[in-house]
Amino acid sequence: MAGRIRQSDIEEVKARTNIGDIVGDYVSLKTGGVGALKGLCPFHDEKSPSFYVRPGVGRYHCFGCGEGGDVYEFLLKMDHVSFTDAVERLAARIGYQLHYEEGGGGPSESSGNRARLLAANAAAEEFFRDRLSAPDADPGRRFLGERGFDAAAAAHFGVGFAPKSWDELTKHLRGKGFSQEELLAAGLVSQGDRGVYDRFRGRLIWPIRDVTGQTIGFGARRLLDDDKGPKYLNTPETPVYKKAQVLYGLDLAKRDISRQDQVVVVEGYTDVMACHLAGITTAVATCGTSFGVDHIKVIRRVMGDDNSQGSVIFTFDPDAAGQKAASRAFGEEQRFSAQTYVAVGPDGLDPCDLRLAQGDVAVRRMIDARKPMFEFMIRRTVERFDLDSVEGRAAALRAGAPIVATIRDPASQNGYTRELARLSGADLQDAIRAVRAAQRGSGSREGSRDDGRTRSYPGGDGQSGSAEQPRPLAQADLADPTQRTERESLMVLLQLPGEVGQERAARAVQVPFVNPTHAVVRDAIASQLATLQQPGWVDRVLAEVPQAYAPTVNALAVAELPQGGDPGRYARSIVDGLIDRDLLREKAELTSRLGRTEDPELRRQISLAMVAIESERRRLRGE
């Protein structure tokens, strides 16, 4: 049994890890102010980014849903790993040797351990890749060659071969120290009457990787005539492989998807390979399941899909399955902020066959010739009817009107109404009436769906336009200059403690705060003031506040600061403004007391105190 990881190691791994790099493996991040990054929240649907990461303090926070924390909490929530697994994964990433207490000698090796399952998959991938060059893998090499893929292409995508053997992989992995329970949990072997046996046998193998590049499963293509299994066989659902949340090729495509604001969704592993080799390096594919909501969430996070400038391009086979896939994709179309398109190859060829027949240029031309998703669906719907008859044209109009009714942009809806009239051979006024009737009858998708929009105050206190959203500082009046100054002072004290400095911070925490929640955070800062400029500053402040106030501290530690200028000068000016406001309050109180007393000695003391206040105010202004 593994021991407990030393606390000092836990802190050291966190200190050495850039949280921006870790979150960036899952979310497309862009500059979000001084020292901050922002993107679409991976924990809830949204169309405008309210998710902020601040590497300098090692924290993240979403001002839409309230989720926040450090790098360990991010991995726990994203990948549902244990805390130990999160520490071990980050330690392995930076090459840090962990130490264990309570008699343990190393990390846990239980079958449910994510790290062990990933290690088993990595070892299996290496085994499959090595076997692709073996004599018995000739059917696999021939399959690749017939589809225009050479050895370099196979190596680039990690393609391998599973030998036609009952348990060759099983023996290989058992020899590397993996238990039978671990191999079953990873989906690499199956259980039968004769014991465990290799799940993949006599097949071409594609490794399926998550967005971080870790191999989490495999897709296997049937090659041999005596193989009575399905054409494609994938890893079953495992603790690390959830097919509804995985897109093949995303690990290779994610950076270009983010840079180009484009993703091309194809239907198979060879289509992804063909697109990438033809220069369409934003291609991905689902893995043994239809394109769904979870896939959309993954794409939007990677794409940073927060405006209408991006492009999501679907390719569909012309057969019945392809048409059904098109309908499903259209059903989810408005979950994207980006524009959606459909690309269909000449003669219905998919990207792999098109590249083989006409070369790389033809694949690029196919993607360039994409049509808007609405146009594609309207045409596809209308073409089902006999447009030579009055009844057929009327039916086509009735079938196409609900599609046009879902278009939210008025100008686009008007244009597609005219297109529907033209394609169906109907009168324009009849088409307008049909679309309006469809809107009245069922309502547009805009009205029937939650599009994830929230009105938030980026860099504020987590307040949102939705009453159901967490509101860590619900009682703060942001229109009140005093409370706003308090909030901004706490932000710079948490985010830029070194720029504020020990002396200013010590004076700032003496200021009485109007907002009670702000006062709790101020007191926590005051209690840790001696460690102001040491690593782990925000974590120590968090440890001082009651649990209910932790989201507030996290939000303030991540909130966006103004861009441009000198961050240090800004931080000092904010804290100086807080102190000056307090000095003015003290001066006003002294002035009032001075007017109420006749005692010469007390008047002298009050006057001296007022002189000291003015002196401190001049020092703050640099006079």
Side-chain angles (χ1 to χ4, degrees):
M1 182 70 178
R4 184 176 181 178
I5 302 172
R6 288 183 188 173
Q7 186 62 34
S8 59
D9 282 358
I10 293 173
E11 297 302 325
E12 186 66 21
V13 169
K14 182 162 69 171
R16 294 191 189 189
T17 299
N18 185 326
I19 189 173
D21 292 340
I22 303 303
V23 176
D25 283 337
Y26 300 83
V27 179
S28 177
L29 296 173
K30 301 175 182 178
T31 300
V34 178
L37 303 167
K38 68 178 179 180
L40 293 175
C41 179
F43 303 112
H44 82 290
D45 265 344
E46 61 177 5
K47 287 199 172 182
S48 297
S50 58
F51 180 80
Y52 283 73
V53 180
R54 192 166 289 279
V57 297
R59 313 290 299 185
Y60 70 92
H61 185 81
C62 176
F63 292 95
C65 69
E67 288 284 0
D70 62 13
V71 67
Y72 294 136
E73 290 170 282
F74 181 81
L75 289 179
L76 262 62
K77 293 170 183 173
M78 279 300 299
D79 291 338
H80 307 290
V81 298
S82 68
F83 182 79
T84 298
D85 284 342
V87 178
E88 290 173 350
R89 189 197 300 190
L90 294 180
R93 181 177 177 127
I94 64 174
Y96 184 86
Q97 180 65 48
L98 294 173
H99 302 86
Y100 296 80
E101 298 173 342
E102 300 177 5
S108 169
E109 296 188 356
S110 67
S111 61
N113 186 292
R114 177 184 175 91
R116 290 291 293 172
L117 302 188
L118 292 173
N121 280 326
E125 179 184 353
E126 182 181 14
F127 171 84
F128 291 139
R129 292 178 69 160
D130 288 344
R131 287 306 302 259
L132 186 60
S133 60
D136 63 337
D138 182 65
R141 294 192 297 272
R142 188 166 60 250
F143 176 92
L144 291 171
E146 290 171 350
R147 283 156 181 77
F149 304 125
D150 57 17
H156 180 68
F157 290 93
V159 182
F161 179 76
K164 187 183 178 182
S165 167
W166 181 257
D167 59 359
E168 189 169 341
L169 175 65
T170 303
K171 291 178 179 177
H172 175 79
L173 295 179
R174 290 298 301 272
K176 287 186 171 291
F178 294 99
S179 68
Q180 178 175 301
E181 290 73 20
E182 288 170 339
L183 301 185
L184 283 166
L188 293 167
V189 302
S190 299
Q191 180 78 54
D193 295 337
R194 295 164 51 190
V196 298
Y197 58 92
D198 294 354
R199 177 177 177 83
F200 307 115
R201 292 164 297 168
R203 288 178 172 247
L204 199 62
I205 303 290
W206 282 268
I208 300 170
R209 304 181 179 115
D210 65 13
V211 71
T212 70
Q214 298 182 103
T215 299
I216 56 177
F218 298 92
R221 210 283 187 183
R222 184 180 62 207
L223 297 171
L224 307 176
D225 293 337
D226 59 355
D227 185 342
K228 303 306 179 184
K231 182 177 180 180
Y232 280 96
L233 178 66
N234 283 6
T235 295
E237 294 276 312
T238 74
V240 299
Y241 178 71
K242 309 295 181 185
K243 63 183 180 180
Q245 302 171 11
V246 176
L247 288 165
Y248 175 73
L250 188 60
D251 58 307
L252 298 174
K254 65 179 180 180
R255 299 203 182 279
D256 284 345
I257 289 174
S258 178
R259 281 197 292 260
Q260 299 177 28
D261 284 334
Q262 179 197 82
V263 62
V264 176
V265 182
V266 298
E267 295 198 332
Y269 306 127
T270 57
D271 290 333
V272 171
M273 294 176 69
C275 282
H276 279 250
L277 294 175
I280 309 298
T281 55
T282 59
V284 297
T286 59
C287 301
T289 186
S290 58
F291 188 82
V293 174
D294 287 334
H295 295 123
I296 293 173
K297 293 178 181 178
V298 171
I299 287 176
R300 293 191 65 238
R301 290 199 299 265
V302 172
M303 208 174 166
D305 177 27
D306 58 348
N307 56 57
S308 60
Q309 303 305 310
S311 301
V312 180
I313 305 167
F314 295 91
T315 66
F316 300 113
D317 290 339
D319 58 16
Q323 296 300 309
K324 187 176 181 180
S327 296
R328 283 194 300 264
F330 177 71
E332 306 295 344
E333 183 272 340
Q334 288 195 12
R335 290 183 182 271
F336 288 106
S337 290
Q339 300 298 309
T340 53
Y341 299 88
V342 175
V344 179
D347 301 321
L349 295 174
D350 60 33
C352 182
D353 289 338
L354 180 60
R355 177 175 179 264
L356 193 62
Q358 301 181 27
D360 293 344
V361 174
V363 177
R364 295 194 294 270
R365 191 181 299 123
M366 168 188 171
I367 301 302
D368 290 341
R370 60 188 179 270
K371 300 293 183 183
M373 173 72 83
F374 280 109
E375 178 182 334
F376 173 82
M377 290 304 298
I378 292 169
R379 285 181 177 275
R380 174 177 172 270
T381 300
V382 168
E383 288 170 356
R384 300 202 312 262
F385 299 92
D386 177 12
L387 300 180
D388 291 331
S389 68
V390 173
E391 293 79 8
R393 291 194 293 272
L397 180 60
R398 287 193 299 270
I403 298 174
V404 179
T406 63
I407 302 174
R408 291 178 292 185
D409 178 61
S412 296
Q413 188 181 83
N414 290 338
Y416 279 113
T417 300
R418 288 191 293 271
E419 184 70 2
L420 174 61
R422 186 184 67 82
L423 292 172
S424 64
D427 180 78
L428 177 58
Q429 292 304 313
D430 288 341
I432 292 173
R433 283 191 290 270
V435 171
R436 288 176 179 172
Q439 287 177 313
R440 289 193 301 269
S442 59
S444 69
R445 283 186 291 177
E446 179 185 20
S448 62
R449 286 190 181 167
D450 175 12
D451 67 0
R453 293 186 187 274
T454 57
R455 292 175 298 186
S456 60
Y457 181 87
D461 302 312
Q463 297 188 20
S464 166
S466 170
E468 297 179 357
Q469 298 291 349
R471 302 176 68 177
L473 289 182
Q475 72 273 41
D477 182 3
L478 299 182
D480 177 4
T482 298
Q483 294 190 49
R484 181 175 287 275
T485 299
E486 291 173 359
R487 177 181 61 82
E488 292 174 346
S489 297
L490 293 174
M491 286 164 54
V492 297
L493 282 166
L494 289 168
Q495 297 180 29
L496 302 170
E499 301 290 355
V500 174
Q502 199 84 26
E503 183 180 352
R504 271 189 178 84
R507 177 63 181 84
V509 296
Q510 296 174 21
V511 175
F513 275 23
V514 172
N515 182 277
T517 305
H518 290 166
V520 171
V521 181
R522 176 209 58 199
D523 293 344
I525 290 174
S527 70
Q528 291 294 320
L529 205 57
T531 66
L532 178 77
Q533 305 197 41
Q534 296 177 14
W537 164 240
V538 174
D539 290 336
R540 289 191 296 278
V541 174
L542 275 165
E544 292 295 322
V545 299
Q547 185 60 39
Y549 291 84
T552 295
V553 175
N554 197 71
L556 293 168
V558 176
E560 182 176 358
L561 298 176
Q563 300 189 47
D566 180 355
R569 180 177 297 176
Y570 168 77
R572 291 186 291 273
S573 70
I574 289 296
V575 175
D576 287 350
L578 176 76
I579 297 170
D580 188 58
R581 188 182 294 272
D582 188 49
L583 291 172
L584 284 172
R585 178 192 59 79
E586 291 182 6
K587 182 179 178 181
E589 290 177 357
L590 290 172
T591 301
S592 177
R593 288 179 60 194
L594 188 65
R596 295 194 306 269
T597 183
E598 298 294 334
D599 186 328
E601 178 58 27
L602 184 56
R603 289 178 65 87
R604 188 183 68 84
Q605 291 176 4
I606 292 174
S607 296
L608 289 173
M610 292 174 67
V611 170
I613 287 175
E614 281 303 313
S615 176
E616 186 172 357
R617 291 189 69 206
R618 286 195 299 271
R619 184 176 59 81
L620 285 175
R621 295 193 296 265
E623 298 177 3

